[in-house]
Amino acid sequence: MQIVLLGPPGAGKGTVATVLAGRTGIRHISTGDLFRAAVKQRSPLGCRVAALLQSGTLVPDSLTIAVVREHLRTMPRESAFILDGFPRTVPQAEALADLADIRAAVELIVPEPEVVRRLSGRRTCSACGATFNVASMPANAARFCSPVQREDDDPTAVRRRLHAYRAQTTPVVEYYRAAGLLRRIDGTATPPAVADRLYAAVSG
Ligand code: AP5
Ligand code: MG
């Protein structure tokens, strides 16, 4: 199972992919997480992308494709994975077609006011990396985690990210529709319920 998860910022891609990975053992690959880890480590890649991430601007295709190619090279070609946040442009989707055998691209449908609400309440633990929301923060997260807000969740960067999604990633949705691989699911339920829908969409 090699699948792509599409959806605007805040649609819940990372959350639902984490649930699915926990249930099935499928590998969860998030380009945003790879870039943020590089920024945290202050690696050469991190230094190149830090300002782009902070402002909510897409990293250039050539660099992003090279990062994904290197990451996939560390795994057997037939490994099961769910890609979260990649591809985000048509050239990325075309490059991915040479790197993997994508069986389905699932678009999470969440209305824009809801994604803006989710992003404004998102917190990530600076120690363990867990993601949650102030609207539904579990008691143990409040007690043990060190919640911080992602730098690109400020209103200006969120507007830029939503614009980038509409302008550059909507054509990717059409790319997978034309290939007969697109599945669309309603992302406005609890994360376990959305994970059930995702599993059903890719198993059918
Ligand atoms: P990336 O990290 O991919 O960010 P994004 O696409 O903007 O998506 P988010 O991570 O913000 O949202 P999400 O859908 O994962 O939602 P989450 O599960 O956290 O990319 C960041 C940056 O990296 C880009 O701007 C760009 O600079 C660069 N980049 C990355 N990939 C790139 C690429 N391919 N090409 C070029 N540049 C790239 O959930 C959000 C909140 O909602 C959380 O608080 C969560 O608890 C809550 N929530 C989740 N699900 C639910 C639910 N079902 N019900 C209620 N609340 C929910
Ligand atoms: Mg994410």
Side-chain angles (χ1 to χ4, degrees):
M1 194 194 281
Q2 299 188 334
I3 56 182
V4 161
L5 195 50
L6 300 165
K13 301 181 296 296
T15 301
V16 74
T18 301
V19 174
L20 192 74
R23 282 185 193 172
T24 63
I26 186 174
R27 197 129 148 200
H28 171 199
I29 304 170
S30 155
T31 40
D33 288 349
L34 293 175
F35 288 138
R36 279 184 291 277
V39 171
K40 201 169 173 181
Q41 289 159 11
R42 296 172 189 255
S43 69
L45 171 66
C47 293
R48 285 180 72 180
V49 303
L52 295 170
L53 260 70
Q54 188 174 16
S55 67
T57 306
L58 290 187
V59 174
D61 283 340
S62 55
L63 186 53
T64 306
I65 292 165
V67 165
V68 171
R69 185 182 292 119
E70 281 312 303
H71 195 81
L72 293 181
R73 202 171 273 165
T74 64
M75 304 159 45
R77 169 105 191 184
E78 63 283 0
S79 302
F81 60 73
I82 181 161
L83 269 170
D84 152 15
F86 183 93
R88 265 178 149 92
T89 65
V90 170
Q92 290 181 14
E94 289 168 347
L96 180 61
D98 291 333
L99 298 173
D101 183 17
I102 299 301
R103 292 304 171 93
V106 182
E107 183 187 13
L108 284 182
I109 310 292
V110 180
E112 197 163 304
E114 172 66 6
V115 299
V116 170
R117 194 189 63 75
R118 288 182 185 183
L119 291 175
S120 69
R122 174 165 56 190
R123 298 292 181 274
T124 306
C125 176
S126 58
C128 73
T131 293
F132 38 87
N133 201 281
V134 291
S136 56
M137 196 182 303
N140 60 342
R143 222 175 296 138
F144 299 115
C145 284
S146 311
V148 292
Q149 193 161 22
R150 242 169 69 176
E151 280 186 322
D152 59 349
D153 279 347
D154 80 85
T156 309
V158 166
R159 271 195 298 277
R160 197 172 285 130
R161 288 159 61 204
L162 287 169
H163 175 76
Y165 188 79
R166 280 185 228 109
Q168 286 161 281
T169 311
T170 304
V172 177
V173 174
E174 296 312 318
Y175 172 95
Y176 284 116
R177 193 195 306 276
L181 295 174
L182 185 68
R183 316 271 184 275
R184 303 178 84 224
I185 61 172
D186 179 359
T188 59
T190 63
V194 179
D196 289 343
R197 291 172 189 172
L198 173 57
Y199 190 76
V202 298
S203 307

